[in-house]
Amino acid sequence: RGGGGGAARAQASASQEGTLSPEAKEILFRLIKRPMLDVERVAGGALKKAWEGQRYLTTDDLDQIGVSPSKSSVPFNDRRTLVTLMQQNNEAIVAEAKSKVDAFPGIYEEGGGLYPPIRAERCLKDFHSFLQVVCYATAAGESSFSHPEGVTILRQLYTAMDVPFDPMVEGVKGLRDASKQIATENGVPITAWDEADRSFEHLLEVLKFR
């Protein structure tokens, strides 16, 4: 029973720690092979190294995405500016997500959805993974970034791990709110924010499994 795993990568360390049930481990390994993010389709595979490295986008990654095909009508430089700001402020953005989770009474106490502490630790890792995915999708101009099979497996994993659904969703909304505030404060064109907002909305749709 873990804390979630938006990109499936947060649980990889958990499986090594032996804290997952055999059922959850089996589902996790399937999700690693077929992740929720359609890596090859989004930005023509330009995201592959970032995804596999469990990291935010580098300057080189963004350069490669910038010359990849995109269906977005939003200029790449505007999308790049927003993604760069979100990445530079990732700790503050995730802190806002955590504050949403903190508001749930007893969430960290024995019997709560994020007890014992390792579940809370995974939850924070998950929020970073979620934010990374939104950054990938926004940079690529591909808000419908998921793979149907990966989404199904992800939902199976969440069910097996008894993920606290409502706190997770509220946390993602916190990611979105904090990202929007940063975009507004820095004068990012509204069209670029709309691209990111569509990616957040798609992520929330992916998480609607209960």
Side-chain angles (χ1 to χ4, degrees):
R1 292 166 60 129
R9 300 168 298 180
Q11 288 86 355
S13 60
S15 65
Q16 293 168 359
E17 294 166 8
T19 58
L20 298 182
S21 69
E23 177 190 9
K25 285 184 180 180
E26 186 276 328
I27 298 170
L28 170 63
F29 291 136
R30 286 195 285 121
L31 186 58
I32 291 172
K33 292 180 180 180
R34 175 64 276 166
M36 172 267 285
L37 175 67
D38 195 338
V39 182
E40 296 300 330
R41 176 176 59 84
V42 177
L47 300 170
K48 189 173 179 63
K49 289 183 179 179
W51 173 262
E52 292 179 347
Q54 305 180 31
R55 58 172 172 77
Y56 289 94
L57 299 168
T58 65
T59 299
D60 288 344
D61 294 330
L62 289 166
D63 288 344
Q64 186 176 357
I65 293 169
V67 296
S68 299
S70 174
K71 296 182 291 186
S72 177
S73 61
V74 180
F76 173 70
N77 283 341
D78 290 347
R79 289 183 273 131
R80 180 175 188 150
T81 296
L82 175 57
V83 167
T84 299
L85 286 167
M86 290 167 65
Q87 295 190 153
Q88 289 173 341
N89 292 277
N90 70 83
E91 292 293 346
I93 292 172
V94 170
E96 178 62 21
K98 181 179 181 299
S99 75
K100 300 291 187 182
V101 175
D102 292 347
F104 283 80
I107 188 75
Y108 301 115
E109 298 172 6
E110 187 171 2
L114 292 180
Y115 183 89
I118 191 172
R119 285 174 66 88
E121 293 171 9
R122 289 180 200 147
C123 182
L124 287 181
K125 291 180 180 179
D126 292 346
F127 287 139
H128 276 289
S129 291
F130 287 140
L131 185 60
Q132 286 169 5
V133 168
V134 170
C135 286
Y136 298 169
T138 302
E142 182 59 76
S143 59
S144 298
F145 54 77
S146 64
H147 189 287
E149 182 183 357
V151 170
T152 297
I153 299 172
L154 176 67
R155 290 170 175 171
Q156 292 172 351
L157 181 65
Y158 281 156
T159 300
M161 296 176 75
D162 194 21
V163 171
F165 176 71
D166 290 340
M168 178 180 64
V169 169
E170 289 304 310
V172 172
K173 291 178 180 178
L175 296 177
R176 181 180 61 186
D177 293 345
S179 297
K180 183 176 183 178
Q181 182 176 350
I182 289 168
T184 301
E185 290 175 350
N186 287 275
V188 173
I190 188 63
T191 52
W193 167 250
D194 286 344
E195 189 79 61
D197 194 39
R198 286 191 290 270
S199 298
F200 276 115
E201 283 299 317
H202 185 72
L203 176 59
L204 287 167
E205 285 296 319
V206 165
L207 298 177
K208 288 183 178 178
F209 64 100
R210 289 183 183 174

